Amino acid sequence: MAETVTVRGTVATSPRHLAPEAGVPITSFRLVTNDRRRGRRSGASVPDGQSNWFTVTAFDELAISAAACIARGDPLVVAGRLCVRDWEGEQLGVTVEIEAEAIGHDLTWGRSEFTRSTAVLVLPAARVGG
C-alpha cells in the first residue's frame, strides 16, 4: 500500500542520519501523532484522542536538511507516501512508514526561521571547436 498522506505530530526519537560515501543520504526518526490541540482559553496542550506512531524516512537533500533542523520534541507536519509493512520476529507485527516528500515545523506551536540552501549548480563543460 502506498498512499500520499499529511501527518502532524511530534518527533519522538532523535533523527538518525546516514551519509554513505557512495549512495543517497538518509535521515529517519519516529513521529507520534499526539492528537493534541491548543486549549482556546489557556493556550495549553490538551489531549484529544489516541496516538499513532510512524517511522519517517527522508532522502537526498531533504535528509540533509532534516538532520540539521529537526530535534526530538519538535512539532512537525510531514507529507509523503504511506507504506504499511508486515514484519516477522518473535511476534508478527506491522510497521507504518512515511517516505517524506516534505517536512516542516508546525507553526501552531512556535516560530521557525527558513534559511535557503546554497546548492552549487554544475553545468556541463562547453565543447570547443564544435
Side-chain angles (χ1 to χ4, degrees):
M1 176 174 137
E3 303 293 331
T4 301
V5 297
T6 301
V7 178
R8 290 176 58 197
T10 303
V11 179
T13 61
S14 295
R16 193 176 92 169
H17 182 69
L18 302 171
E21 284 185 33
V24 177
I26 301 169
T27 299
S28 65
F29 56 90
R30 297 281 286 160
L31 185 79
V32 59
T33 59
N34 43 19
D35 287 336
R36 300 177 85 73
R37 59 182 168 74
R38 187 177 289 262
R40 290 185 185 206
R41 292 189 182 156
S42 67
S45 177
V46 179
D48 189 25
Q50 182 180 1
S51 297
N52 292 305
W53 290 81
F54 300 92
T55 298
V56 177
T57 306
F59 299 95
D60 293 320
E61 293 300 319
L62 182 57
I64 294 166
S65 294
C69 299
I70 295 172
R72 186 174 180 219
D74 285 357
L76 295 183
V77 177
V78 176
R81 287 185 292 281
L82 181 70
C83 300
V84 178
R85 296 187 174 97
D86 296 323
W87 55 270
E88 294 181 22
E90 290 182 20
Q91 298 178 344
L92 298 178
V94 174
T95 184
V96 182
E97 300 176 13
I98 298 173
E99 186 177 312
E101 295 173 354
I103 300 173
H105 286 107
D106 185 347
L107 300 182
T108 303
W109 303 103
R111 294 182 179 189
S112 185
E113 184 176 320
F114 178 74
T115 304
R116 186 171 303 279
S117 297
T118 54
V120 177
L121 179 62
V122 178
L123 299 174
R127 291 186 181 177
V128 178

